[in-house]
């Protein structure tokens, strides 16, 4: 009798990379669903009792009504944004079946997903890493629902895509940076670390042309595109800034200042506030000088240097700003994620410090914002910890960038002992 042999097909597992991508996608979907739930239940008591969604529901929607008439909110002291913010705030009109709030959140989630896709594609290139995509996926939810109710995810997308397109097209890098700068100024800083020579010239030329063309279109489409400068110039010291933390400590020592809502933020008013604001501007100038000194002295560029320099620049300008709103952490998380796509980055310790600062930021706002406003000891302690972590991140970032681009001097080899022991006259050339 002939024997019958049964062949059981081997069970094939999906490639490791595909499993990682699936895990990443599931992690993003679950975490964003939780963020969306928190936004819908904005009045949850443990999260400060609500208020996060109001900025979109009331303020953005009010500006939307003005922008649809072809004008910027000239007489609104809360309008402090460059003209490129107009099209972003008008974008919910692309989804007419939804309310303004629903469409805004949907577009923010779509932009968030676009950032993840860009980081994932960059991480799959040879010699790159998916750590950046994982970092973005895990880091953004530390801010709870706040990123979904602000347009900083959209701004960060311009900066992230600008940096990730640099290796293929410096012109595209410059164009995306310029478009981001027209929405919020800071994306222009991502160009500070580009390699000298043709790459820098090409990117900056593209950025200039793009910014000029976009401004011309906005000037034709809207009236008073530069009205934001008047409001921006009048801003004071916000309670969450470094200067605000110093003034919060001063209130515990008897300083007579107080907190007041103005220019769209809780700011200090009282004696010496103008001096603190001036000091902040002076420190911003110092930060610019440090970046200029680094660029002049830098000698060694790698693929990660533009990423690292962008994070350092934005960190330095953030900690010296008169305003450090919670959503500013979205910028830093995005740039840190770009750094982590490269295995040659010098900013890994900085990325960890930023994660810790982001977690404390969600304690500041929305969870304990009332305590911060009242300058209670608890509120002051939260801000000291958060800003201390940001200061540590900024110093670490700059030092590591400096060292990474200034390789140690290689000493000249000493002559062999047999040669060194010869008399000087025997070493001379006849």
């Amino acid at each position: 009798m002939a024997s019958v042999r049964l062949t059981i097909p081997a069970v094939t597992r999906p490639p490791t990379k595909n499993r990682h991508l699936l895990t990443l996608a599931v992690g993003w979907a679950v975490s964003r669903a939780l963020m969306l739930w928190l936004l819908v239940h904005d009045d949850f008591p443990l999260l400060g009792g609500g208020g996060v969604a109001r900025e979109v529901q009331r303020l953005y929607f009010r500006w939307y009504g003005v922008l649809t008439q072809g004008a910027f909110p000239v007489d609104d002291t809360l309008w402090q944004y460059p003209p490129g913010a107009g099209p972003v705030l008008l974008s919910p009109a692309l989804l007419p079946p939804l309310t303004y709030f629903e469409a805004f959140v949907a577009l923010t989630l779509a932009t968030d997903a676009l950032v993840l896709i860009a980081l994932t594609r960059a991480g799959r290139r040879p010699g790159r890493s998916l750590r950046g995509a994982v970092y973005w996926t895990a880091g953004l939810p530390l801010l709870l629902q706040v990123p979904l109710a602000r347009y900083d995810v959209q701004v960060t997308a311009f900066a992230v895509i600008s940096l990730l397109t640099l290796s293929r097209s410096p012109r595209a890098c410059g164009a995306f940076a310029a478009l981001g700068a027209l929405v919020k100024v800071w994306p222009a800083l991502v160009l500070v670390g580009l390699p000298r020579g043709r790459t820098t010239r090409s990117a900056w030329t593209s950025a200039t042309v793009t910014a000029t063309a976009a401004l011309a279109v906005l000037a034709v489409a809207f009236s008073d595109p530069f009205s934001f400068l008047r409001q921006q110039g009048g801003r004071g010291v916000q309670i969450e800034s470094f200067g605000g933390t110093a003034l919060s400590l001063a209130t515990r020592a008897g300083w007579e200042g107080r907190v007041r809502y103005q220019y769209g933020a809780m700011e200090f008013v009282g004696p010496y506030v103008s001096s603190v604001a001036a000091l902040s501007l002076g420190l911003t100038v110092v930060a610019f000088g440090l970046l200029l000194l680094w660029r002049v002295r830098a000698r060694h560029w790698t693929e990660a240097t533009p990423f690292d320099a962008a994070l350092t620049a934005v960190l330095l300008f953030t900690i010296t700003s008169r305003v450090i709103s919670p959503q500013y952490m979205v910028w830093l998380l995005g740039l840190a994620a770009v750094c982590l796509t490269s295995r040659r980055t010098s900013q890994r310790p900085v990325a960890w410090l930023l994660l810790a600062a982001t977690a404390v930021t969600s304690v500041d706002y929305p969870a304990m914002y009332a305590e911060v406003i009242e300058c209670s000891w608890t509120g002051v302690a939260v801000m000291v910890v958060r800003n201390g972590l940001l200061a540590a991140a900024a110093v670490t970032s700059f030092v590591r960038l400096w060292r990474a681009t200034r390789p140690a001097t290689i000493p000249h080899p000493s002559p062999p002992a047999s040669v060194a022991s010869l008399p000087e006259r025997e070493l001379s050339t006849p």
Side-chain angles (χ1 to χ4, degrees), residues 34-58 101 143-150 365-367:
L34 178 58
M35 292 170 66
L36 191 58
W37 185 90
L38 291 173
L39 186 63
V40 172
H41 298 82
D42 197 32
D43 56 351
F44 197 62
L46 293 178
L47 299 178
V52 174
R54 282 201 297 265
E55 187 140 338
V56 178
Q57 294 170 331
R58 299 180 185 179
F101 177 73
L143 289 169
L144 307 178
Q145 72 270 39
V146 171
L148 299 184
R150 303 292 186 270
Y365 182 85

Side-chain angles (χ1 to χ4, degrees), residues 130-190:
L130 286 174
R131 290 191 186 97
V134 174
Y135 185 88
W136 175 257
T137 302
L140 199 64
L142 292 177
L143 289 169
L144 307 178
Q145 72 270 39
V146 171
L148 299 184
R150 303 292 186 270
Y151 71 89
D152 293 85
V153 171
Q154 288 87 325
V155 183
T156 302
F158 281 111
V160 168
I161 294 173
S162 171
L163 288 170
L164 294 181
T165 57
L166 173 62
S167 60
R168 297 185 178 183
S169 173
R171 290 191 180 92
C173 171
F176 279 112
L179 293 174
L182 288 178
V183 181
K184 278 194 175 181
V185 178
W186 71 266
L189 293 172
V190 304

Side-chain angles (χ1 to χ4, degrees), residues 235-249:
R235 297 205 69 166
V237 178
Q238 191 224 19
I239 60 174
E240 294 162 281
S241 66
F242 276 65
T245 300
L247 292 173
S248 295
L249 286 167

